[in-house]
Amino acid sequence: MKMKELEAATGVGRETIRYYIREGLLPEPVRPKRNVAVYGRAHVKRLNLIRKLQQERHLPLSIIRTIVTSETGESAGGFEALIGLEAAMGPLLSDGRNLAPKKVADVAKDTGLALPDIRKFAEVGLIHIDQRDGGEWLNQRNVRIMEIIAQTRADGYTPDVGYTVESYEIYPQMIELLSRKAVVGFYSRLGDKLDQPAAAKLAVNGIRTLSEMVPLMLIDRIVRDVEKISASGVLPTDEDNI
């Protein structure tokens, strides 16, 4: 079908469709000629799924991209049965300290962090600010992250010695890569093999495994790198391999 027919079949405008293709949410159309693009049922199915995830689950496009695509750009398999898995995972991922969501302004007041700094931490991806009820909110995990940042500043990791907001931007970049690999792998391998309760339990167990294993790996690597620097007496640059 042509673009006009795809628009009619899905109710999605051509500029949005082109944007989805550029962003990797939709596969490229077949192009028998330079100025001719042909779309198929796969495009209709994917567009309907994207709209469903947006309208029913209120998911951002970054998460939708992870759900609907794998590393090769193909559909991530039988994941449709697990759409909404985050709702089943929620009760299993309680903080333990039962922290409630807080308004950003209240987090600034409670932690002593400047409100502009909290917004900058969101800009670099360290936290995510939710817009609801006409205000800015942080969920319990993001509240805890800001509490940790406040403690690190009290410990001496301050902007005065070079630990600015921008110093933290590498961490969300690494987390994004790790999360994408984990999420796509989970949906691709198990999307058509488990019902939601079983998948939620397994996913949460995997999250807990990662949350224990990754910090240990990081600590071990940092200690070994410090040992290498002590042995060599040479301080490498960020681009050097230690």
Side-chain angles (χ1 to χ4, degrees), residues 11 13 122 136 144 233:
E136 297 177 318
R144 181 59 186 145

Side-chain angles (χ1 to χ4, degrees), residues 209-223:
T209 297
L210 283 175
S211 68
E212 182 175 2
M213 183 174 65
V214 171
L216 290 173
M217 293 174 64
L218 179 60
I219 292 170
D220 189 66
R221 180 57 189 259
I222 289 174
V223 171

Side-chain angles (χ1 to χ4, degrees), residues 48-65 67-68 79-91 128 130 187 196 200:
N48 288 337
L49 177 58
I50 291 171
R51 292 186 69 186
K52 180 177 181 180
L53 292 172
Q54 287 178 314
Q55 295 173 3
E56 296 182 10
R57 305 309 311 171
H58 307 292
L59 298 178
L61 286 180
S62 58
I63 299 300
I64 292 174
R65 183 190 298 110
I67 292 174
V68 303
F79 60 82
E80 287 89 348
L82 297 185
I83 291 173
L85 180 63
E86 72 285 354
M89 291 167 58
H128 181 81
D130 296 312
Y187 276 96
Q196 280 211 14

Side-chain angles (χ1 to χ4, degrees), residues 76-171:
F79 60 82
E80 287 89 348
L82 297 185
I83 291 173
L85 180 63
E86 72 285 354
M89 291 167 58
L92 303 176
L93 283 172
S94 59
D95 182 80
R97 300 187 309 138
N98 199 28
L99 292 175
K102 284 186 178 181
K103 290 184 177 180
V104 171
D106 291 336
V107 174
K109 180 179 178 181
D110 293 343
T111 61
L113 295 172
L115 192 57
D117 275 0
I118 293 178
R119 293 197 178 106
K120 286 181 182 178
F121 279 119
E123 290 174 5
V124 301
L126 196 73
I127 57 172
H128 181 81
I129 295 177
D130 296 312
Q131 303 289 336
R132 62 182 179 86
D133 301 329
E136 297 177 318
W137 292 76
L138 296 181
N139 68 20
Q140 59 179 350
R141 289 180 289 275
N142 289 286
V143 170
R144 181 59 186 145
I145 290 171
M146 289 296 91
E147 290 177 344
I148 292 170
I149 291 296
Q151 183 60 55
T152 63
R153 287 191 171 179
D155 291 339
Y157 290 89
T158 65
D160 292 341
V161 297
Y163 284 91
T164 63
V165 172
E166 290 74 21
S167 304
Y168 293 87
E169 62 185 352
I170 187 172
Y171 301 110

